[in-house]
Amino acid sequence: MILIKNIKLISFLAIITLFLNGCNGKFPGADARKFPADPEKRIEQNIKEGRGFNLNEEFGKSRGGVFDFASSNGLWRASLDVIDFMPLTSVNYSGGIIITDWYSENNNQNESIKISIRFMTNEIRSDALNIKVFNRKCSDSLLKCKITETEGVLVTELKKEILKKATMYKKMSENKKGKKDYKYPKMKKKN
């Protein structure tokens, strides 16, 4: 009997503690001087401060919304286009990283590369990408492998190609929106 009372008391104290933690140690109720008297302005202020959400926006008449898909990010699209010949291990748009699987040309399993692209920003600029290229050289058919990070020409060329494609995508997007007149490059005629 005493054990049941102790369990009830501990449960009650735990619930009170959780409640007070959720309220920052204060009981519900707010200082009316800090909030506007007009309910519409109070709702607007709460939403701006991230303390609530508007049901009209969630379930209201407008069914469309603003979706920031990966396809609208030129840098992301360009990166995937440049390395599209390689199998991908991990692609995480929200985390801003693309990791390929080991790739080797001409089915040479003894030597292969792996590319990791981390996005530092969505802006198209030279420091927006952190590209790492790993080289794996194996002997005894993948049993004894040495993995090293490769720096230099390949990393520079990948970055340059991605930035070039991303700039092209941005110009095409701006052209669609009517911001700028983008002239597509003319194709050379074959004789």
Side-chain angles (χ1 to χ4, degrees), residues 145-156:
C145 296
K146 182 178 179 182
I147 300 172
T148 56
E149 184 177 345
T150 305
E151 295 180 7
V153 178
L154 186 56
V155 173
T156 306

Side-chain angles (χ1 to χ4, degrees), residues 134-179:
F134 300 95
N135 191 11
R136 178 175 71 177
K137 292 185 180 180
C138 299
S139 59
D140 297 333
S141 65
L142 300 177
L143 295 177
K144 294 180 184 176
C145 296
K146 182 178 179 182
I147 300 172
T148 56
E149 184 177 345
T150 305
E151 295 180 7
V153 178
L154 186 56
V155 173
T156 306
E157 288 298 316
L158 279 170
K159 189 178 284 191
K160 187 170 94 175
E161 189 64 28
I162 290 170
L163 291 173
K164 189 169 40 170
K165 273 192 181 265
T167 303
M168 184 183 72
Y169 287 147
K170 182 178 179 183
K171 287 180 181 178
M172 287 172 31
S173 174
E174 288 173 350
N175 187 39
K176 282 183 183 177
K177 292 178 184 177
K179 290 183 180 177

Side-chain angles (χ1 to χ4, degrees), residues 8-164:
K8 286 182 181 179
L9 179 63
I10 291 171
S11 300
F12 177 73
L13 291 174
I15 291 171
I16 294 294
T17 304
L18 288 173
F19 177 72
L20 288 176
N21 280 338
C23 300
N24 293 328
K26 299 177 183 176
F27 286 105
D31 186 4
R33 295 172 289 179
K34 293 181 181 178
F35 297 99
D38 183 24
E40 294 295 323
K41 289 181 181 176
R42 192 168 51 239
I43 291 170
E44 187 177 316
Q45 180 182 355
N46 285 341
I47 291 173
K48 282 181 186 175
E49 293 175 0
R51 293 189 288 179
F53 63 95
N54 191 345
L55 286 176
N56 288 336
E57 289 176 4
E58 301 297 325
F59 302 107
K61 296 177 185 175
S62 64
R63 296 284 180 194
V66 177
F67 299 101
D68 190 18
F69 290 116
S71 62
S72 65
N73 184 330
L75 204 55
W76 182 263
R77 284 179 54 203
S79 299
L80 288 174
D81 284 352
V82 168
I83 61 169
D84 72 341
F85 63 94
M86 299 182 73
L88 301 174
T89 300
S90 177
V91 178
N92 186 341
Y93 180 69
S94 62
I97 191 162
I98 299 172
I99 302 172
T100 68
D101 200 359
W102 291 104
Y103 174 78
S104 61
E105 286 185 334
N106 303 325
N107 294 325
N108 180 7
Q109 294 296 323
N110 293 333
E111 190 171 337
S112 55
I113 64 168
K114 184 176 201 165
I115 299 173
S116 165
I117 303 173
R118 180 173 299 274
F119 297 84
M120 310 312 277
T121 179
N122 286 334
E123 296 175 28
I124 301 172
R125 51 184 217 213
S126 62
D127 63 342
L129 301 172
N130 182 4
I131 299 176
K132 293 185 179 185
V133 178
F134 300 95
N135 191 11
R136 178 175 71 177
K137 292 185 180 180
C138 299
S139 59
D140 297 333
S141 65
L142 300 177
L143 295 177
K144 294 180 184 176
C145 296
K146 182 178 179 182
I147 300 172
T148 56
E149 184 177 345
T150 305
E151 295 180 7
V153 178
L154 186 56
V155 173
T156 306
E157 288 298 316
L158 279 170
K159 189 178 284 191
K160 187 170 94 175
E161 189 64 28
I162 290 170
L163 291 173
K164 189 169 40 170

